[in-house]
Amino acid sequence: MTLNKKRIAVFASGFGSNLQAISDYMHNNEVNGYISLVFSNNPEAYALNRAKKMGIETYVLKPKDFTGREEYDREIASKIESEKIDLIILAGYMLLLTPWFASRFRNKIMNIHPSLLPLFKGTQGIKDAYEYGVKITGVTVHFVDNELDHGPIILQEGVNIDDSDTLEDLEEKIHRVEHSLYPKAVEYFCSQRLEIQGRKVIIRELEKG
Ligand code: GRF
């Protein structure tokens, strides 16, 4: 069965190392999709430079140019719809999506979070786990719903915190795992292997032929 290549938009506010990792993986492997747009709320985001270097269209809207967050998200949504985007990937996107946006693209938005959810939600997942003193933390890729860091979990991988690890060591370990885990989740989506059953995401075997 041949599937149409999925069109992907990556939302990023900062460094964009996950954008890079996903794009590199897609180039080096036969993934049934491609990144056709990189969106940012931040004109200074290094992720935009990466996108330009890779020849990917960029799109920037500043929240302060809009009267409210829903108006802002509606403008983004019309771009996503006119570009016929199949999947939105949040990769270090530092704005909360409005419930309106999350509902409109239900089961079509993925996020990566640097902890084993539901532990250590929020913007400081790595630091919070480190300071709490847990021995194992990790990375979660999940679909986005109306609650922060909450939607159905696609993939998780644990990371050991050794006694000798500094916070910087842990950050490095986490990012390494992120860069291998996120592309895999995207690949599964593109080959239509993800089936959402309530809170659970089943990863189906690849169909032959
Ligand atoms: C990652 O640690 C991700 O887990 C979190 O934001 C960070 C983004 O990093 N959501 P980058 O911009 O992809 O380098």
Side-chain angles (χ1 to χ4, degrees):
M1 186 175 55
T2 330
L3 303 170
N4 281 339
K5 282 203 171 225
K6 303 289 181 200
R7 288 170 65 78
I8 298 171
V10 176
F11 286 20
S13 304
F15 188 52
S17 68
N18 281 284
L19 160 68
Q20 190 73 55
I22 293 166
S23 174
D24 291 349
Y25 183 89
M26 294 180 89
H27 274 109
N28 297 331
N29 296 274
E30 279 183 29
V31 179
N32 188 52
Y34 59 99
I35 301 171
S36 60
L37 184 72
V38 171
F39 170 71
S40 187
N41 60 306
N42 170 20
E44 307 299 325
Y46 186 65
L48 294 169
N49 294 19
R50 294 182 191 267
K52 282 174 196 150
K53 265 195 209 145
M54 293 186 278
I56 302 170
E57 184 191 346
T58 59
Y59 182 57
V60 180
L61 291 174
K62 291 190 261 173
K64 70 173 178 51
D65 294 338
F66 293 78
T67 50
R69 282 301 315 282
E70 195 168 306
E71 195 208 357
Y72 179 71
D73 275 6
R74 279 180 188 273
E75 187 70 23
I76 303 169
S78 56
K79 175 75 173 169
I80 293 301
E81 282 163 0
S82 72
E83 295 287 332
K84 300 197 171 17
I85 297 295
D86 299 295
L87 173 67
I88 295 168
I89 298 176
L90 306 184
Y93 184 60
M94 297 312 283
L95 291 183
L96 280 179
L97 298 173
T98 54
W100 178 84
F101 191 95
S103 308
R104 186 156 189 108
F105 299 101
R106 197 163 161 264
N107 300 342
K108 288 183 172 176
I109 312 173
M110 277 184 193
N111 183 40
I112 191 159
H113 184 76
S115 76
L116 291 178
L117 290 174
L119 294 174
F120 307 114
K121 296 178 177 185
T123 54
Q124 304 209 90
I126 305 177
K127 188 162 177 268
D128 291 345
Y130 185 80
E131 287 177 356
Y132 195 91
V134 293
K135 304 285 185 187
I136 302 175
T137 182
V139 174
T140 305
V141 181
H142 64 96
F143 283 110
V144 169
D145 66 8
N146 286 344
E147 276 180 60
L148 178 70
D149 299 332
H150 175 267
I153 291 172
I154 303 165
L155 290 173
Q156 284 188 306
E157 190 172 321
V159 171
N160 289 326
I161 305 180
D162 300 320
D163 293 343
S164 59
D165 280 342
T166 62
L167 177 58
E168 291 68 35
D169 293 334
L170 179 60
E171 283 168 350
E172 215 179 295
K173 285 185 182 178
I174 293 276
H175 292 315
R176 213 175 306 133
V177 171
E178 286 185 341
H179 298 160
S180 69
L181 208 63
Y182 217 174
K184 257 186 247 165
V186 172
E187 182 170 32
Y188 292 155
F189 181 95
C190 290
S191 45
Q192 293 182 185
R193 292 179 61 189
L194 301 179
E195 191 178 306
I196 305 176
Q197 297 180 359
R199 272 217 55 84
K200 297 202 172 132
V201 179
I202 311 299
I203 301 170
R204 293 196 310 232
E205 289 300 310
L206 199 54
E207 283 177 32
K208 301 225 167 66

